[in-house]
Amino acid sequence: MFDLPDAPDIARTMRTGYPGTPRRHVCSICGDVATVYGDTSGEMCVPCALDKWDELTDAEKLNLLGFDYL
C-alpha cells in the first residue's frame, strides 16, 4: 500500500505496539531479567510481584487499588 522509508521506530511500533526501545530490567528479588516497555516503576518481575500480591490481605489489596469500602 505505502512504501515507507527505513524507519525503525515505525516498524517497531507496528510490530510491538510500543514506540520506544525496550530496556532491560533486573528483578531485585530473584535477579531474573525482564523486558520493560514504557514507564514502569518497581523492581520486580511479574512472578515475584504476583507472589508479593498473594501475601497481601484483602484490605491491603483494596487500599492499593484505591477502592473505598466499609
Side-chain angles (χ1 to χ4, degrees):
M1 180 183 260
F2 294 103
D3 188 23
L4 294 174
D6 184 26
D9 290 340
I10 293 173
R12 181 176 33 259
T13 301
M14 297 295 288
R15 189 176 61 254
T16 67
Y18 298 99
T21 304
R23 56 187 170 87
R24 292 303 210 176
H25 177 81
V26 177
C27 178
S28 63
I29 296 174
C30 71
D32 194 18
V33 176
T35 301
V36 178
Y37 294 94
D39 295 330
T40 303
S41 61
E43 300 175 350
M44 289 185 278
C45 64
V46 171
C48 289
L50 290 174
D51 288 343
K52 290 291 184 186
W53 179 259
D54 289 339
E55 293 173 6
L56 297 175
T57 65
D58 290 340
E60 290 171 327
K61 290 177 184 178
L62 290 172
N63 283 333
L64 286 172
L65 293 172
F67 286 100
D68 292 328
Y69 59 93
L70 301 174

